[in-house]
Amino acid sequence: MKRLLGRFFGRKEPDIRSWVRRDLALESAPWSPLSQDDDDDDPYAPLPPSQYRSDAPFGTPDRYATGWRRFMPRFLRNRSWWWWISRMVASVLFVFILLVAYLAITAPLNKSLQPIAPPQITLLAADGTPIARNGAVVDEPVQVADLPDHVIQPFLAIEDRRFYDHWGVDPRGIARAAFTGVGGGSTITQQLAKFTFLTSEQTLTRKAREALIAFWLEAWLTKDEILERYLSNAYFGDNMYGLRAASLHYFYRHPENLRPEQAAMLAGLLQAPSRLAPTRNPDLAAQRYSLVKNALVAAGYITQEQADAMAVPELDVRTVNDVPTGTYFADWALPFARENAEATYSRQTLTTTLDSRLQDAARRAIERAPLGSAQVALVAMRPNGEVVAMVGGRDYSESAFNRVTQARRQPGSTFKLFVYLAALRNGWSPDDVIDNTEFTAGSYRPGNHNGRYSETITLRDAFAQSSNVAAVRLFNAVGSEAVIETARDLGVTSPLATGDPSMALGTSTITLLELTAAYAAVAADSFPVEPHAFVREEESWLDWLTSGQGSFNRSDHADIEDMLRAAINSGTGRAATLSVANFGKTGTTQDNRDALFVGYAGEGENRLVVGVWVGNDDNSPLAGVTGGGVPARIWANFMRAALGAAAAPPQPTPSPDPSGPVQPQDVPKLDDIPLGDGTRLIIRDGEAIIVSDIDGVGVEASIRDGGVSLEVDEEAAKEAARRRLEEELRREAEPAG
């Protein structure tokens, strides 16, 4: 057993004579082993130099008492070179097994079956109008068995001549490419490994991983399977991925029907697809095509006479690969589309909730607004969160920044919805009164925007007149926790500072989409409302019970709608008054940096919730623009067009072609003519409209059928007059120089 264990652990059983010699040496030694440390008792410790025997035969323990072996444990000193080589080979095999296991986890084979670029997605409006296209043009994979030899041979000749002979890495091919410049240094298997599993960084680490994955692919896939996956995913320029998409794009042929010269042209594109695309650089593509023919001759696939007879193929591009037209709505919707899209090579077409008619109404309402140099944003949704219109700025072609979903601005008095709703949920009623006097004590002393105060005021009137002092006192009465809880219930996720009384006046930043969704929760009497771009299936009663949706107390909901109606009909939002039931709230931040109007109108399926924001991207003050002015008028103009058209009987219209050209949604049309100094001439439907801004006051003159009508932003005019009066009084009060 001792001998067996000794062999197992690599130790040889010591000869009995060596033990006798050691005992005799111990007996004659002037020292006792018992007086030494435990380390000195180790029978395998190196011998001191004084006991080294230069005449010891090979294989005795004394032979390697000096030199580099003395640093090794004694039982390893006498191992032969064969012993060391066998252990090293075993270690390499063990590491290789670990690498294979690692690749099986991090580089699964099924990943090479997936397209390397997201396939093209076409987004449609609700009526089928194409509104955006995004992604690569990817088509069905190819099968090597179905491809003629003259289609496969150019790719092998120019990219990997010894593809069917190597094991993933070809040293001969690397050397040939280095000396001749023909062919790539990487094999087809390595290229598949690179664009399927790795990045394009040029580092030794990436090349090493590329070689390992190539060996891995060669071990588990046949050569034809590797070639199929390579041809089905390679990039051919012009946003075309895969041989089938490229052959249809450049020659309007399926790859199974390509002629030899057409296949050779496509094979030449793989080296630099964007630079060599024949639609962009026909001369460079022709030069590369000649190189592919020479490679075919060198590989023995064709003769020189056949190569000379192959002319440069003519392109047959029948579909224009237009640049996808982006829109504010599409940019917001595409990430959700990608999440729900299937992992497939096929192009996909998805129908969104966008209503092209309402989108056009939103654009028209904004075009007619006297904005000057300010930016604007509008979002319209149904109470269930379906977004039907979105304008994230004045012109998408000039700025793709979406001010509906990306800009975080102060909501101003529109945030008072949460303050008053929190008060209603805590037992207050619209007829309760609150102090409306000016603050004269404390570090925070907000004032009313119009400078008017009173001893007391009802909550209904305070909300309608947007009293700041009343809102802050109400906020302090109900507590910031109750206000924040109400905002969270309605779906607000932006940070809200606990205990900050200025929050009552909308100093916390929030997106317009988030704010409008909160008002949609009031319109739906169900919270929270999640804005979405694609139609969702109706929930069953069981899903509804487990969804965590909440609703308002019946009296609280009636009271908050009563206050929202008063804000339009008799309060600061009178410019948004409609002939139907309407509910909303104005918002203006400090120094008129932001102006908002958010509200809803309509009944049943026609009810729409709309938020409008006007401001400058650099957060500079607006010239006399308030929430009850330009934003309220934009809101009203949109609502009149949207609800009026919605009430009309539907007219049958031909269904648009989903594969047709994209229809621009956020680019001004040619009938919107800038005249300079913020003045624009809009000609549409036989009507000429001149929109201008005079001293911060919006003016709109319409000419139709010989008649002229003039509209002035009354709120802005009053504000401008007030500022002029204050300036005159200040000048009169100054002492004469």
Side-chain angles (χ1 to χ4, degrees), residues 111-256:
K111 190 175 181 180
S112 63
L113 288 172
Q114 301 173 1
I116 63 173
Q120 186 180 84
I121 289 182
T122 299
L123 296 182
L124 308 179
D127 63 354
T129 301
I131 59 175
R133 285 195 180 93
N134 182 273
V137 179
V138 182
D139 218 310
E140 293 298 321
V142 297
Q143 301 294 326
V144 169
D146 299 333
L147 296 176
D149 291 340
H150 66 259
V151 173
I152 299 175
Q153 290 168 352
F155 293 94
L156 300 180
I158 196 66
E159 293 295 329
D160 190 356
R161 196 173 301 173
R162 298 183 64 253
F163 172 70
Y164 283 97
D165 298 324
H166 60 66
W167 279 81
V169 178
D170 184 16
R172 288 173 54 184
I174 296 175
R176 183 181 66 250
F179 284 102
T180 66
V182 178
S186 298
T187 65
I188 284 178
T189 312
Q190 286 178 275
Q191 293 181 53
L192 176 63
K194 179 176 67 176
F195 61 61
T196 303
F197 300 103
L198 303 173
T199 62
S200 58
E201 60 176 344
Q202 298 295 329
T203 62
L204 292 176
T205 303
R206 200 271 298 167
K207 293 296 291 184
R209 293 189 65 203
E210 177 185 300
L212 286 173
I213 297 176
F215 283 127
W216 165 253
L217 293 173
E218 291 278 351
W220 291 98
L221 298 175
T222 66
K223 287 289 187 179
D224 285 351
E225 289 175 334
I226 293 174
L227 186 58
E228 287 171 355
R229 299 182 187 204
Y230 172 76
L231 293 176
S232 299
N233 284 285
Y235 181 50
F236 288 84
D238 274 6
N239 203 32
M240 300 291 157
Y241 287 80
L243 180 59
R244 188 174 303 278
S247 60
L248 288 170
H249 171 66
Y250 291 113
F251 303 111
Y252 204 66
R253 284 172 176 258
H254 283 282
E256 294 82 4

Side-chain angles (χ1 to χ4, degrees), residues 9-12 44 72-79:
F9 289 104
R11 299 182 179 182
K12 291 183 179 180
Y44 301 103
M72 301 177 62
R74 192 171 181 179
F75 70 91
L76 292 177
R77 294 179 189 171
N78 302 322
R79 300 303 179 191

